[in-house]
Amino acid sequence: MYYLNNEPAALPSPANLAPRDVHSSTLELKTVSINPDDTYTVQQAINAFGFGWFHVKLSLLVGLCWMSDSMEMAILSILGPSLFCEWNVTKFQQASVTTVVFLGMMLSSSFWTQLSNRYGRKSALTLFGVLLVLYSILSSVAPSYAWLLTLRGLVGFAIGCVPQSVTLYAEFLPTKHKGKCVVLMDCFWALGACFEVVLALVVYPYYGWRGLLALSATPLLIFTILSPWLSESARYYSYNGHNDKAIKVLEQIAHNNKRHMLMGRLMADDEPSCAESFRSLLSPSLYRTTILLWFLWLASAFCYYGLVLVTTELLVARNKESHPNECVTFMTSDFMDLLWITLSEFPGILLTIKVVKLFGKKKTIVLQYLALVLCTLVLMSVESRFSTSVTLFIARGTISGIFQAIYVYTPEIYPAALRSVGVSGCSVLARLGAMLTPFVAQVLMDSSRIQAMSTYAIVGLLASIACVFLPRETVGYH
């Protein structure tokens, strides 16, 4: 969800998703094939090599980053109730543990971007892997709430690098495959959330939240160990004047994908100025679209992470009613319910793809938000375990589908030169929404379920209205 990009949470990867760009890349590919002695860019070479074994290996490595990001987000919903029994912390303090992670992500975004631009995506991702594993393990042995809050903030600081993995991924993708690979990354996110629940089911009853925190770093530990085999971005090398290194990377891609290396002279891809691009987002022709998208991303993150936290709050509240004299957090049955609810992200993503092909992204997002509003209204009063789980299943799948649709819709609306910075700006607002939602899902929910769920219903309704005023887009999934 992002994490985005992850930016959370933000996916800068679908930089060339519109049909016209796919068409132009085909023309570029034909030009390169017909004129082998002419110049070519990194993107033209990657288009010529197609999607092959090199990209399969890269997808698995980047997928581990997305799984780790998702797992760190999923564990936040388990951590809050557990800390109450450990240190008797208040609901506000529980919410702060979640908020500080997203605050760390927001503050570190610029740092990781500058680091990766200066030293390369691979170097930044390797450092990120080491730091996140370290901070996760230290969090598991935190002696007090203050220490845990500090360390979770540092975890958030490290997670701020996850979008660089998507940037690296995007820079290796053929133009026509970028839209499909967004779906692949969303599946890794859902897989990470499900894996975290399975891990909790096995580990939590015996080792509690501390053992769960430590073992949740396993996917990223695997990524860190495998990071020496990660290829640096050929576009990064080319843009920084290291054409010899860029050509070696391109030769590796051609070899892995069983294609012939292009002949001719390598030219650097054009890189727009980020400062100028960001100002352009608020130009007279784009400011309304930008503001609407910012609110849409804020609302999506607010509702997504809110539902994740609300789910565990409802499960724990049910246990407190059954055991009023004990400090009870999670039972085995709770983790089973949580697993089925989390699995809804897979059908949510796949169903969204089908609906988008029929109605387009804009109408799909509006319909999904209205369905989400209906689910939140039902959750105000529903009491039975079965009804609660079914409603949460539908709501979780719906909000996952919304994120899937806006990830692809957003870059398609912006001009080609503004797509990456446009999505990055949206991700900042998404993190703000994620920072705010714990105080509704945990603090307000504790005093009034009706007020908390009404807040999500209102935000969802406003988001559906905002989506109506967005520009038209093409019907289909690109």
Side-chain angles (χ1 to χ4, degrees):
M1 293 275 119
Y2 210 298
Y3 256 117
L4 18 320
N5 111 175
N6 46 129
E7 284 259 339
L11 260 169
S13 57
N16 297 288
L17 287 172
R20 61 179 180 272
D21 293 309
V22 176
H23 179 63
S24 64
S25 67
T26 305
L27 293 178
E28 291 171 352
L29 178 55
K30 291 179 179 178
T31 303
V32 172
S33 301
I34 295 172
N35 303 298
D37 295 325
D38 202 353
T39 59
Y40 64 91
T41 65
V42 169
Q43 188 61 55
Q44 288 172 337
I46 289 173
N47 287 341
F49 301 148
F51 191 96
W53 179 240
F54 176 88
H55 297 91
V56 172
K57 294 186 292 184
L58 182 65
S59 298
L60 293 175
L61 283 173
V62 175
L64 287 173
C65 286
W66 270 72
M67 282 184 64
S68 300
D69 188 1
S70 177
M71 290 173 68
E72 289 296 336
M73 298 302 103
I75 201 173
L76 293 173
S77 63
I78 300 173
L79 198 55
S82 302
L83 296 180
F84 175 76
C85 290
E86 179 88 10
W87 292 318
N88 196 30
V89 298
T90 64
K91 283 292 181 180
F92 184 87
Q93 289 175 315
Q94 292 177 39
S96 298
V97 172
T98 301
T99 296
V100 76
V101 174
F102 291 103
L103 178 62
M105 292 169 63
M106 180 180 290
L107 295 178
S108 68
S109 176
S110 177
F111 167 80
W112 288 114
T113 299
Q114 293 179 26
L115 188 72
S116 65
N117 288 340
R118 183 169 183 177
Y119 297 105
R121 325 291 190 221
K122 178 179 177 179
S123 300
L125 289 170
T126 301
L127 177 61
F128 145 72
V130 172
L131 290 179
L132 187 54
V133 171
L134 175 63
Y135 294 146
S136 295
I137 294 175
L138 289 177
S139 296
S140 69
V141 294
S144 65
Y145 172 80
W147 271 106
L148 181 66
L149 193 67
T150 302
L151 288 167
R152 296 313 291 174
L154 292 173
V155 165
F157 183 91
I159 294 176
C161 185
V162 171
Q164 300 307 318
S165 71
V166 185
T167 300
L168 175 69
Y169 190 49
E171 291 177 350
F172 278 122
L173 288 176
T175 303
K176 68 178 182 179
H177 289 283
K178 289 186 177 181
K180 297 176 183 177
C181 289
V182 173
V183 180
L184 179 61
M185 288 300 103
D186 278 343
C187 289
F188 272 111
W189 175 276
L191 182 62
C194 292
F195 182 72
E196 181 64 37
V197 178
V198 172
L199 193 64
L201 182 63
V202 176
V203 174
Y204 188 88
Y206 302 100
Y207 304 102
W209 64 270
R210 294 181 182 275
L212 187 59
L213 274 178
L215 290 175
S216 294
T218 302
L220 200 61
L221 178 61
I222 297 173
F223 169 81
T224 306
I225 293 172
L226 297 177
S227 61
W229 285 274
L230 186 67
S231 297
E232 182 56 87
S233 168
R235 179 174 291 182
Y236 164 78
Y237 279 141
S238 176
Y239 183 67
N240 286 278
H242 302 296
N243 276 5
D244 53 337
K245 294 182 179 179
I247 290 172
K248 288 183 179 179
V249 174
L250 293 175
E251 288 174 344
Q252 180 188 354
I253 300 173
H255 175 73
N256 286 173
N257 291 2
K258 301 187 184 302
R259 299 293 180 93
H260 294 293
M261 181 61 188
L262 299 183
M263 304 296 292
R265 184 164 58 92
L266 178 64
M267 297 288 289
D269 293 280
D270 293 332
E271 299 287 342
S273 167
C274 290
E276 293 179 3
S277 296
F278 188 79
R279 285 195 295 268
S280 299
L281 294 178
L282 297 175
S283 64
S285 60
L286 286 176
Y287 79 93
R288 191 181 77 166
T289 296
T290 297
I291 292 173
L292 289 172
L293 284 173
W294 283 355
F295 177 73
L296 195 61
W297 280 68
L298 184 150
S300 298
F302 182 82
C303 293
Y304 176 85
Y305 292 108
L307 280 173
V308 172
L309 295 172
V310 162
T311 300
T312 54
E313 289 296 314
L314 291 175
L315 294 176
V316 172
R318 187 174 60 201
N319 293 336
K320 288 180 180 178
E321 293 175 0
S322 303
H323 303 79
N325 298 322
E326 301 177 37
C327 188
V328 179
T329 53
F330 298 99
M331 300 180 177
T332 301
S333 58
D334 298 327
F335 287 121
M336 291 301 299
D337 288 347
L338 188 58
L339 177 59
W340 293 121
I341 294 168
T342 305
L343 283 171
S344 67
E345 294 202 15
F346 288 104
I349 292 169
L350 298 176
L351 184 59
T352 297
I353 296 172
K354 297 293 184 183
V355 177
V356 163
K357 287 181 179 179
L358 295 175
F359 302 108
K361 306 169 192 66
K362 182 177 169 180
K363 290 181 180 179
T364 300
I365 295 172
V366 172
L367 291 173
Q368 287 178 314
Y369 260 119
L370 293 177
L372 180 65
V373 170
L374 180 60
C375 288
T376 56
L377 294 176
V378 171
L379 286 172
M380 286 185 188
S381 58
V382 68
E383 294 293 342
S384 72
R385 175 173 177 171
F386 177 77
S387 300
T388 301
S389 297
V390 170
T391 306
L392 287 169
F393 181 93
I394 297 172
R396 184 75 174 266
T398 301
I399 190 62
S400 298
I402 291 172
F403 252 124
Q404 169 66 34
I406 64 171
Y407 270 140
V408 183
Y409 174 87
T410 301
E412 181 181 283
I413 291 303
Y414 283 117
L418 299 178
R419 285 175 186 159
S420 181
V421 70
V423 176
S424 298
C426 288
S427 73
V428 174
L429 272 296
R431 287 170 182 167
L432 179 60
M435 288 171 60
L436 295 173
T437 200
F439 298 101
V440 176
Q442 293 177 304
V443 179
L444 185 59
M445 186 76 174
D446 186 53
S447 58
S448 173
R449 181 197 291 196
I450 293 178
Q451 291 181 16
M453 300 316 299
S454 295
T455 302
Y456 289 113
I458 292 170
V459 171
L461 183 61
L462 291 176
S464 67
I465 295 172
C467 191
V468 170
F469 292 98
L470 283 170
R472 290 179 178 270
E473 36 76 39
T474 55
V475 176
Y477 201 89
H478 305 285

